[in-house]
Amino acid sequence: MIETSKPVNSLEDSNIQIQVKDCYKIYKRGEIEVVALGGLKCNFNKGEITVIMGPSGCGKTTLLNMIGGLDQLNSGQIIVGGVNIAKLSKKELEKYRRDRIGFVFQFSSLIPELTAEENIRLPLILTTGINAEKKEYISELLEVVGLTDRKTHRPDELSGGEQQRVCVAAALANKPDIILCDEPTGELDSITKLKIMDLLRKIIETYPEKTMIIVTHDPELRVIADRMYYIRDGNISHQFSKEEMEKMKANYNNTSTSINNISQNGGNYEEFLIELREIDHMVKAKINKIEKKIHPI
Ligand SMILES: Nc1ncnc2c1ncn2[C@@H]1O[C@H](COP(=O)(O)OP(=O)(O)OP(=O)(O)O)[C@@H](O)[C@H]1O
Ligand SMILES: [Mg+2]
């Protein structure tokens, strides 16, 4: 794993959409207390994908649930566009979840009896209702996720990757400004995974006013990240700034293959993995070199 000892939470630019401040979440089961978040702080920016990694049980899903307004903190603040969501009433939180949050999970959450298009419309039907403008937006979404010609298919008539595309589109139906993805590629084969990675990148580039957070165990998702956090025991242990990620991508772009090549033509996946490992190695060596300059002893 790549590591950097750069101090966490530096305000690198003013595009911050979400500020997580000193957040604690402690689960109690009988006598046992589990500290899922232990004073965690970090920021998330508009127009960016932040990828969060860390060992099982380190608090990744807990953090997403808190940002998504699905659970409540013991202490701390989560400030979204200037509002501390930890202070919202139940009703306000419901509205926040409905209007501002889109969730994408590892397992398909589609209704088997509905077509792709109906599944995408469902969040609207259940909340604000549908009108001509929204119908048009659903058509746009089908286009963005590349499923226009599959819109009348039911989930069991779609591949795993296509089903996940429908889930991504459904998460966008209410035009949320925050998209939270928990292991969005966890169940997919390697080529399909690359296609979903491409799609998530395309979404943030098509809708740069949105903020996307992806939790994963898969180091390959770094390829689409603008920023990265590593969590350990409920706290950020390391982070990669946008600048560091850009350097990593520049190195990657200089190499012979690109993510588009791989996902479009099936590509040489092994070669891609080797490149990723080489980049890891190169970036780590560079960081060590810089750190030695800053802290010579
Ligand atoms: N509802 C709950 N009740 C009790 N403990 C919980 C609850 N939810 C999570 N935990 C505990 O909090 C810790 C953090 O859980 P969390 O689900 O956030 O981990 P994670 O990083 O998402 O792990 P994974 O990678 O396996 O999904 C774990 O030790 C977990 O057992
Ligand atoms: Mg989890």
Side-chain angles (χ1 to χ4, degrees):
M1 188 191 284
I2 314 171
E3 292 186 350
T4 167
S5 59
K6 199 169 178 288
V8 294
N9 213 28
S10 56
L11 299 185
E12 286 169 299
D13 71 47
S14 56
N15 224 8
I16 297 168
Q17 168 74 338
I18 305 167
Q19 288 174 277
V20 175
K21 291 185 169 179
D22 304 315
C23 285
Y24 283 86
K25 177 65 185 178
I26 298 156
Y27 289 108
K28 282 189 186 160
R29 238 189 231 148
E31 297 288 289
I32 301 166
E33 285 193 347
V34 178
V35 181
L37 301 178
L40 191 139
K41 7 177 157 175
C42 57
N43 299 316
F44 299 94
N45 287 14
K46 266 185 208 165
E48 290 187 5
I49 296 180
T50 303
V51 167
I52 301 178
M53 293 185 63
S56 187
C58 71
K60 303 182 295 297
T61 297
T62 305
L63 176 62
L64 278 199
N65 289 347
M66 297 299 159
I67 294 171
L70 289 177
D71 203 349
Q72 294 213 306
L73 293 167
N74 290 85
S75 66
Q77 298 182 330
I78 295 181
I79 298 173
V80 180
V83 174
N84 180 11
I85 63 159
K87 292 272 182 230
L88 295 181
S89 68
K90 215 173 153 192
K91 218 168 176 188
E92 288 168 329
L93 209 54
E94 255 177 51
K95 185 170 160 39
Y96 164 79
R97 273 199 305 268
R98 188 190 67 210
D99 295 348
R100 305 199 59 180
I101 303 291
F103 277 106
V104 180
F105 299 104
Q106 174 173 7
F107 300 104
S108 167
S109 48
L110 302 175
I111 310 284
E113 290 79 15
L114 300 182
T115 64
E117 188 172 27
E118 287 163 349
N119 266 290
I120 300 168
R121 280 184 186 184
L122 190 64
L124 290 171
I125 291 165
L126 294 176
T127 54
T128 53
I130 203 136
N131 57 23
E133 191 196 324
K134 285 174 184 170
K135 273 186 193 164
E136 203 173 302
Y137 176 61
I138 299 293
S139 299
E140 176 189 317
L141 280 180
L142 277 162
E143 189 74 40
V144 171
V145 301
L147 284 177
T148 304
D149 59 348
R150 296 278 194 285
K151 64 181 180 185
T152 57
H153 289 223
R154 295 206 171 76
D156 66 353
E157 297 163 341
L158 296 169
S159 71
E162 287 167 341
Q163 287 181 36
Q164 192 61 318
R165 283 169 185 272
V166 178
C167 292
V168 171
L172 293 168
N174 273 328
K175 299 195 177 176
D177 51 359
I178 298 165
I179 305 152
L180 304 175
C181 311
D182 202 344
E183 291 285 0
T185 58
E187 282 294 292
L188 305 174
D189 67 77
S190 50
I191 298 296
T192 310
K193 177 179 78 178
L194 288 170
K195 289 186 178 166
I196 294 295
M197 283 161 63
D198 264 357
L199 173 64
L200 295 173
R201 191 69 234 168
K202 184 178 170 192
I203 299 284
I204 206 72
E205 276 157 21
T206 310
Y207 305 109
E209 71 288 356
K210 298 190 192 296
T211 305
M212 190 183 289
I213 307 175
I214 303 175
V215 157
T216 185
H217 283 279
D218 185 346
E220 286 171 33
L221 267 83
R222 286 174 304 180
V223 173
I224 57 164
D226 292 293
R227 194 177 297 273
M228 282 212 50
Y229 293 127
Y230 289 92
I231 302 185
R232 193 167 275 272
D233 299 330
N235 262 302
I236 306 284
S237 58
H238 309 300
Q239 71 171 323
F240 266 90
S241 67
K242 195 167 183 187
E243 210 182 28
E244 286 164 327
M245 294 306 294
E246 268 164 12
K247 272 189 208 159
M248 206 157 116
K249 277 184 206 158
N251 284 328
Y252 181 68
N253 287 336
N254 287 337
T255 58
S256 57
T257 44
S258 79
I259 186 167
N260 282 330
N261 287 340
I262 291 160
S263 53
Q264 274 162 24
N265 59 23
N268 186 337
Y269 192 62
E270 281 303 310
E271 206 174 293
F272 169 65
L273 282 178
I274 291 164
E275 278 174 17
L276 258 184
R277 284 188 208 115
E278 278 172 4
I279 291 163
D280 272 3
H281 195 72
M282 201 155 58
V283 173
K284 198 170 181 179
K286 275 185 188 167
I287 289 165
N288 282 341
K289 218 167 159 184
I290 295 165
E291 279 178 356
K292 272 185 192 147
K293 268 191 196 160
I294 300 169
H295 309 289
I297 324 157

